[in-house]
Amino acid sequence: MFKLLVLGATGFLGSSVCEKLVERAGAADGRIRVATRHVARARHLQLLPIVEVAPGDVHDDASLDWLLRDTDAVVNLVGILHGSEAEFDRVHARLPERLAAACRRVGVRRDSHVSALGATADAPSRYLRSKARGEAALRAAGLDLTILRPSVIFGARDRFLNLFATLQAILPVLPLAGAGARFQPVWVEDVGRAVARCLDDRSTIGLTIECVGPRVYTLRELVELAGRWSGSRRRVLPLPEWLGRLQAMAMEFLPGRTLMSRDNVDSMRVASVASGKLPGLERLGIEPTPLESVAPGYLGHVGGERRLEAWRARARRG
């Protein structure tokens, strides 16, 4: 019997991770506890066998202790893409510190932690620096730790390719900051499978695994592919860095969900590609899935106005 706690399970990656953990369990007796402050957002996860939705604030020490009770391992998927220095620090650095301390108090040793490619202490963005601080806090705690660093993650509910497809459905020309930035997109199902397999393979303890797809693209190439596969291809207008930052600053002040921030532009100064110095998905027996074999199916399924309505609904939920 195995008992897991998953933090951040209600997000895009979390749903896939929970499905893969349930598949991993098979007919075995076990429990996957999903922590959330908003139980309604975990409604779809309650349909999965052996999933237990537990209300709780992961930023509260007493709540973390309660969530970790009677647990063998914890998976941390919590992350944000936009925020202030304090918000990034709270989510990406302080939460791992709190989690490590709670694991010591409760006696949980196994931890699988999802970070990001390019996370270093001297990275150019607040996002990447905060991710690096979180990794460092967990390593210092002496847990049985495996860190996974994905590139940008794609899948039917992603906020990356779907965003650029939506923008091309409504704009005659798409001005693009960071057009030359490089990414190695990885399928959400492959990352979910990687998280589950790490928990089965104790030889991954102490490793940092880079989760990437088989091919490197520039941001401009990805945007053009999103437009072509969705049937809404528009001319892409690359912006110089200073103008891209100005555009991102303007977007930060728009009502609703932030689409692009200056910190995102800073993050793109670091190539989100495999270093070649760390193990990849192949270490876990996973053959990375090509973008071209998945993305055209979900980008081409919803077009034009329906895509825009879906994005509006998603923004309201956020």
Side-chain angles (χ1 to χ4, degrees):
M1 181 174 182
F2 69 95
K3 300 174 183 177
L4 303 177
L5 171 66
V6 183
L7 310 185
T10 59
F12 167 54
L13 174 59
S15 297
S16 179
V17 167
C18 287
E19 290 170 5
K20 299 308 176 187
L21 289 172
V22 169
E23 291 175 9
R24 163 187 179 264
D29 190 14
R31 184 211 65 225
I32 300 170
R33 179 178 293 145
V34 168
T36 180
R37 285 185 299 172
H38 306 285
V39 174
R41 293 184 182 177
R43 197 169 295 144
H44 62 293
L45 298 175
Q46 291 178 309
L47 302 175
L48 296 172
I50 72 171
V51 168
E52 166 196 305
V53 176
D57 181 0
V58 298
H59 298 286
D60 176 76
D61 291 339
S63 184
L64 266 181
D65 288 352
W66 180 80
L67 290 166
L68 281 164
R69 75 196 188 284
D70 191 27
T71 293
D72 303 316
V74 59
V75 175
N76 183 23
L77 311 173
V78 179
I80 58 174
L81 290 174
H82 309 288
S84 65
E85 183 84 42
E87 288 167 331
F88 280 127
D89 186 69
R90 178 174 183 262
V91 174
H92 296 157
R94 290 288 296 132
L95 175 57
E97 289 176 3
R98 288 181 181 278
L99 180 59
C103 284
R104 288 197 299 267
R105 289 192 299 268
V106 177
V108 174
R109 290 204 52 80
R110 190 71 174 102
D111 186 352
S112 179
H113 178 75
V114 175
S115 182
L117 279 180
T120 60
D122 60 350
S125 71
R126 297 191 299 261
Y127 170 81
L128 292 173
R129 291 194 299 269
S130 66
K131 284 285 192 178
R133 291 196 297 273
E135 290 185 11
L138 290 170
R139 291 193 187 99
L143 301 174
D144 293 340
L145 174 68
T146 305
I147 293 174
L148 297 101
R149 291 180 176 173
S151 181
V152 64
I153 301 175
F154 68 89
R157 294 173 54 241
D158 70 51
R159 288 176 176 163
F160 184 68
L161 294 179
N162 275 302
L163 167 62
F164 288 117
T166 300
L167 291 175
Q168 290 178 85
I170 59 177
L171 297 176
V173 177
L174 184 59
L176 185 64
R182 295 192 302 143
F183 297 89
Q184 202 165 348
V186 61
W187 191 28
V188 64
E189 297 291 299
D190 288 342
V191 181
R193 192 172 293 113
V195 172
R197 291 192 182 179
C198 281
L199 294 174
D200 282 331
D201 187 352
R202 290 191 60 82
S203 72
T204 64
I205 292 173
L207 295 183
T208 297
I209 298 173
E210 295 179 328
C211 302
V212 299
R215 181 180 163 190
V216 175
Y217 305 81
T218 65
L219 179 60
R220 178 174 185 167
E221 289 172 332
L222 290 170
V223 170
E224 290 175 343
L225 286 171
R228 174 153 61 89
W229 290 335
S230 64
S232 303
R233 186 171 183 175
R234 299 292 187 266
R235 181 188 171 203
V236 175
L237 180 63
L239 299 177
E241 184 174 350
W242 69 269
L243 188 53
R245 288 184 62 80
L246 188 63
Q247 179 193 52
M249 182 174 67
M251 288 185 172
E252 291 172 16
F253 291 98
L254 292 176
R257 183 183 298 277
T258 301
L259 301 181
M260 177 74 74
S261 69
R262 284 167 289 177
D263 199 67
N264 295 149
V265 175
D266 291 338
S267 288
M268 288 191 293
R269 289 165 56 191
V270 178
S272 186
V273 302
S275 68
K277 301 175 182 178
L278 296 172
L281 291 174
E282 294 83 359
R283 170 64 176 76
L284 300 169
I286 299 170
E287 182 179 352
T289 303
L291 177 72
E292 290 83 358
S293 68
V294 176
Y298 68 83
L299 290 176
H301 182 66
V302 179
E305 187 62 28
R306 287 181 60 200
R307 180 176 298 281
L308 184 57
E309 287 301 322
W311 191 263
R312 287 170 178 156
R314 191 178 299 169
R316 286 194 294 270
R317 288 197 300 270

